[in-house]
Amino acid sequence: MGATGSKLEKALGDQFPEGERYFGLENFGNTCYCNSVLQALYFCVPFREQLLDYYSNSKSIGDAEENLLTCLADLFTQISSQKKKTGVIAPKRFVQRLKKQNEIFRSYMHQDAHEFLNFLLNELVDILEKEAHAIKSDAESSSPSEKISNGPKTGQANGAQKEPLVTWVHKNFQGLLTNETRCLRCETVTARDETFLDLSLDIEQNSSITSCLKNFSSTETLNAEDKFFCDKCCSLQEAQKRMKIKKPPHILVIHLKRFKYIEQLGRYKKLLYRVVFPLELKLSNTMEDADSEYSLFAVVVHVGSGPNHGHYVSLVKSHNHWLFFDDENVEMIDESVVQTFFGSAQEYSSNTDHGYILFYESIGTGNKS
């Protein structure tokens, strides 16, 4: 890796960003699904900075109990504090903790990168929420005046599930969807809000992210066996349903549903479809108000023709340069290379390298990458 590292340093030359580190991650036997996602998260600058802040604060408080959050923070700290600009790091402690935490990731089988990302973000949120509740209950138990009002407070706490704590993970990744259902008899609109940390989109051949998002928000008619129970009519009625993005997240993570269960085959098949993902994305058709603009900064790529085998790599934009991360190897690539990962226009193609998870950051919120 010394040669690869110096090659990258030579390629960047004077343009090597000050204070930045580009490190490959060692593979511990089919852990590329983990490595590719970790690289995308490391170059999600606001997330990285908040994680490092959290780690330095928790270290000053005292020895924190080891969990997935402390292991991730420790890994990111290790990378960011390296004396060398490039090299390889073994995320051994993090992978061990992951396997201990979730048996799905214990085998040496091919794992799903999206499943891992989903599990990781939810796990981080759970840890932060538990810590916040522990601090709150400590503060309440130490204050006698608070103790008296403890009774009604617990009643509120149960109801407060609807208004959960907003952690810094939420502030980065959480958006709000609204599910609108219009009764076709009385025209009453029922709206239900739900949060999301990533959007999973159905894909079609020769399509784009914009068209996939349009389909995601398209109107669906509920009739026959799917009729909607209207509270106003007090009966099952035909209705129209649509999903809209009510509040877009700061970091928009889009998962392309490339693995589809084929009934006739009785198994999952990888869809090699060509889906164009732009470097700059406008969320116009899904928003209730103004357009939201996003810039692509990372892509997790699935390499392989099937769902149960293959490899994961990631493309990352850092300080206006695009980099290619393949486990231990890191190299600089031209921006034009990104479009080679859109997919295949033909059903059968030798190209099996396809964009699978896309990371977009909202423009105009102080991103330096």
Side-chain angles (χ1 to χ4, degrees):
M1 175 66 199
T4 316
S6 56
K7 193 178 164 188
L8 179 63
E9 283 183 54
K10 273 178 194 164
L12 280 162
D14 296 341
Q15 291 183 306
F16 202 107
E18 199 182 334
E20 195 56 272
R21 297 290 175 264
Y22 298 130
F23 274 71
L25 295 172
E26 200 179 308
N27 189 321
F28 291 100
N30 267 351
T31 54
C32 56
Y33 70 92
C34 174
N35 289 349
S36 57
V37 168
L38 291 178
Q39 295 290 10
L41 289 175
Y42 185 80
F43 290 98
C44 175
V45 178
F47 173 78
R48 185 212 306 182
E49 286 175 351
Q50 282 158 324
L51 180 64
L52 296 176
D53 279 353
Y54 163 84
Y55 193 54
S56 59
N57 291 337
S58 63
K59 276 187 97 170
S60 62
I61 294 164
D63 287 339
E65 182 194 335
E66 186 185 280
N67 55 40
L68 216 50
L69 176 58
T70 60
C71 289
L72 182 67
D74 186 55
L75 175 65
F76 278 22
T77 304
Q78 217 183 324
I79 297 169
S80 66
S81 58
Q82 289 291 318
K83 284 191 174 72
K84 287 183 180 177
K85 292 178 180 180
T86 58
V88 179
I89 276 182
K92 197 172 183 180
R93 195 165 150 227
F94 178 84
V95 172
Q96 281 175 341
R97 186 74 218 181
L98 175 69
K99 291 183 176 187
K100 191 176 178 181
Q101 207 85 8
N102 192 327
E103 60 185 31
I104 291 171
F105 304 111
R106 271 175 218 165
S107 74
Y108 286 95
M109 300 279 286
H110 181 71
Q111 303 291 346
D112 186 280
H114 175 249
E115 204 173 316
F116 163 65
L117 173 66
N118 215 285
F119 170 73
L120 178 61
L121 291 181
N122 281 295
E123 188 65 24
L124 299 186
V125 163
D126 283 352
I127 294 163
L128 290 170
E129 284 179 346
K130 277 176 192 161
E131 283 180 6
H133 290 312
I135 291 164
K136 193 181 168 194
S137 59
D138 282 354
E140 283 172 5
S141 61
S142 63
S143 165
S145 57
E146 289 274 353
K147 266 186 178 175
I148 303 158
S149 59
N150 237 3
K153 270 200 174 173
T154 49
Q156 280 180 346
N158 291 339
Q161 289 301 323
K162 289 170 191 165
E163 283 292 324
L165 179 86
V166 178
T167 67
W168 48 264
V169 176
H170 289 123
K171 283 175 185 169
N172 281 303
F173 296 100
Q174 185 170 272
L176 192 65
L177 291 171
T178 187
N179 198 336
E180 290 183 349
T181 310
R182 182 189 298 274
C183 172
L184 294 179
R185 185 182 173 210
C186 69
E187 294 289 312
T188 301
V189 176
T190 308
R192 195 182 81 248
D193 289 351
E194 54 187 88
T195 58
F196 68 92
L197 294 175
D198 66 62
L199 284 182
S200 287
L201 300 182
D202 288 309
I203 61 171
E204 290 173 353
Q205 179 57 292
N206 289 318
S207 60
S208 67
I209 292 299
T210 309
S211 64
C212 293
L213 281 164
K214 249 182 198 144
N215 290 342
F216 179 79
S217 299
S218 62
T219 304
E220 178 193 348
T221 303
L222 304 174
N223 52 24
E225 286 108 54
D226 294 327
K227 279 184 182 174
F228 166 75
F229 186 86
C230 175
D231 289 337
K232 197 171 180 187
C233 299
C234 292
S235 58
L236 289 168
Q237 295 294 336
E238 287 195 353
Q240 282 185 331
K241 180 181 156 188
R242 70 171 295 199
M243 190 81 90
K244 287 200 281 193
I245 297 178
K246 190 173 180 178
K247 186 171 176 272
H250 175 55
I251 305 293
L252 175 65
V253 180
I254 295 175
H255 159 236
L256 302 180
K257 290 158 91 170
R258 287 207 173 269
F259 304 116
K260 189 180 182 182
Y261 188 77
I262 310 294
E263 207 71 55
Q264 302 94 304
L265 300 173
R267 60 178 168 84
Y268 281 89
K269 179 190 174 189
K270 183 180 177 185
L271 304 176
L272 308 179
Y273 300 162
R274 178 178 166 84
V275 182
V276 175
F277 45 89
L279 297 174
E280 307 291 323
L281 175 70
K282 266 190 184 178
L283 279 188
S284 47
N285 55 310
T286 50
M287 277 302 298
E288 290 180 333
D289 304 313
D291 288 3
S292 291
E293 291 189 32
Y294 286 88
S295 179
L296 184 73
F297 71 88
V299 182
V300 170
V301 172
H302 180 267
V303 180
S305 54
N308 302 317
H309 53 85
H311 184 53
Y312 286 103
V313 296
S314 49
L315 317 173
V316 162
K317 187 184 183 184
S318 170
H319 303 270
N320 293 317
H321 298 287
W322 279 93
L323 299 156
F324 177 79
F325 287 86
D326 179 358
D327 288 331
E328 292 90 345
N329 299 309
V330 188
E331 58 188 78
M332 206 172 148
I333 55 167
D334 195 75
E335 189 174 79
S336 60
V337 175
V338 175
Q339 61 193 10
T340 63
F341 297 94
F342 288 165
S344 322
Q346 287 84 30
E347 174 68 30
Y348 299 102
S349 168
S350 57
N351 174 20
T352 63
D353 307 6
H354 307 109
Y356 183 46
I357 312 169
L358 313 172
F359 292 77
Y360 283 94
E361 178 161 19
S362 180
I363 297 173
T365 40
N367 177 33
K368 292 173 284 185
S369 72

